[in-house]
Amino acid sequence: NQADGGIHNWTPQLDQWARTGWQFNQFLANHRTTEEGLFALLTGHNPLTMPGQASVYARALDSQATLPGTLRRHGFHTAFLTSGDLGFMDKGDWLRRVGFDEIEGHDAPFYDGHPRHHFSAVNDDTLYDRSLQWLREQGPHKTFLTIETVSTHQPFQDPLTRKISIEGAFRYADAALGRFIHQLKASGLLDNSRLIVTSDHRA
């Protein structure tokens, strides 16, 4: 069946891998922006701004009670890797406050010399290559890694053709994710791990 790609079958790789694990058919991404979606996913709180706050990132919270903060207290090394700009809305500072030990954005040395797209981001394949490198560097230690991709963000530019195409952007992202999961599986990195794939918002 076409679990996620809809009637046009835009995500065959995600659909195939979903059939090998658990799929939550009634799970909804939180709110309308990445900012609000990440807040909900990583803190477990409703992503609403308080009076006088311009951003949900400004909300006070107990870092010990967030997902990365809780895992860190239990001996995990926590990291957040993205190809996006961590300076936007002070996201990097917020990620540190919620409990990530290590944070990397679009300016990581690994991405030097790679083609850039919107938000000065590299494509998903390059982000996944860095993520694989990072995971291998950790060895047998307990780790919690969050990877935030950018290739399916508006204006929906297909990184391969450089053309604006919603279908092209999502087909590319699906193929890149499929390759990444296959590499994780083939390298044994999934043997004692859990992989969770979710969107961060639904707009």
Side-chain angles (χ1 to χ4, degrees):
N1 71 343
Q2 295 168 358
D4 298 290
I7 60 173
H8 299 296
N9 194 28
W10 284 3
T11 59
Q13 289 296 314
L14 182 57
D15 293 346
Q16 175 186 329
W17 284 105
R19 287 191 287 271
T20 69
W22 291 355
Q23 185 174 352
F24 296 90
N25 295 319
Q26 297 183 30
F27 181 87
L28 294 177
N30 290 282
H31 231 277
R32 300 180 298 117
T33 68
T34 295
E35 166 200 3
E36 294 154 333
L38 280 180
F39 185 92
L41 286 167
L42 296 174
T43 72
H45 291 286
N46 196 318
L48 298 176
T49 54
M50 299 293 106
Q53 290 180 341
S55 165
V56 71
Y57 288 161
R59 274 180 58 178
L61 49 86
D62 178 7
S63 65
Q64 298 295 305
T66 65
L67 178 58
T70 299
L71 290 172
R72 185 165 66 178
R73 283 192 292 109
H74 288 279
F76 283 76
H77 179 66
T78 58
F80 185 99
L81 304 185
T82 182
S83 53
D85 184 353
L86 293 171
F88 181 68
M89 299 184 76
D90 294 323
K91 186 196 304 193
D93 291 337
W94 179 78
L95 290 167
R96 202 166 308 285
R97 285 195 289 118
V98 297
F100 283 103
D101 297 308
E102 192 173 344
I103 302 164
E104 277 189 10
H106 76 292
D107 55 354
F110 185 88
Y111 306 136
D112 290 349
H114 288 276
R116 302 291 178 146
H117 306 280
H118 47 292
F119 306 114
S120 297
V122 296
N123 61 34
D124 289 358
D125 276 306
T126 306
L127 173 61
Y128 290 139
D129 287 345
R130 169 58 185 142
S131 300
L132 281 168
Q133 180 193 59
W134 186 91
L135 286 165
R136 290 179 177 127
E137 289 170 352
Q138 303 313 303
H141 301 102
K142 295 194 298 185
T143 58
F144 171 67
L145 173 63
T146 300
I147 304 168
E148 180 194 58
T149 63
V150 176
S151 291
T152 52
H153 197 287
Q154 292 177 336
F156 304 113
Q157 182 186 64
D158 181 338
L160 301 181
T161 66
R162 298 275 183 161
K163 293 180 180 178
I164 301 300
S165 167
I166 296 175
E167 178 178 355
F170 276 88
R171 286 193 181 278
Y172 164 77
D174 176 69
L177 177 61
R179 284 189 287 272
F180 178 57
I181 298 174
H182 176 77
Q183 289 173 306
L184 288 173
K185 183 80 171 172
S187 66
L189 287 168
L190 282 184
D191 291 349
N192 297 298
S193 302
R194 296 291 179 265
L195 174 67
I196 300 170
V197 179
T198 181
S199 59
D200 60 12
H201 64 83
R202 58 185 180 173

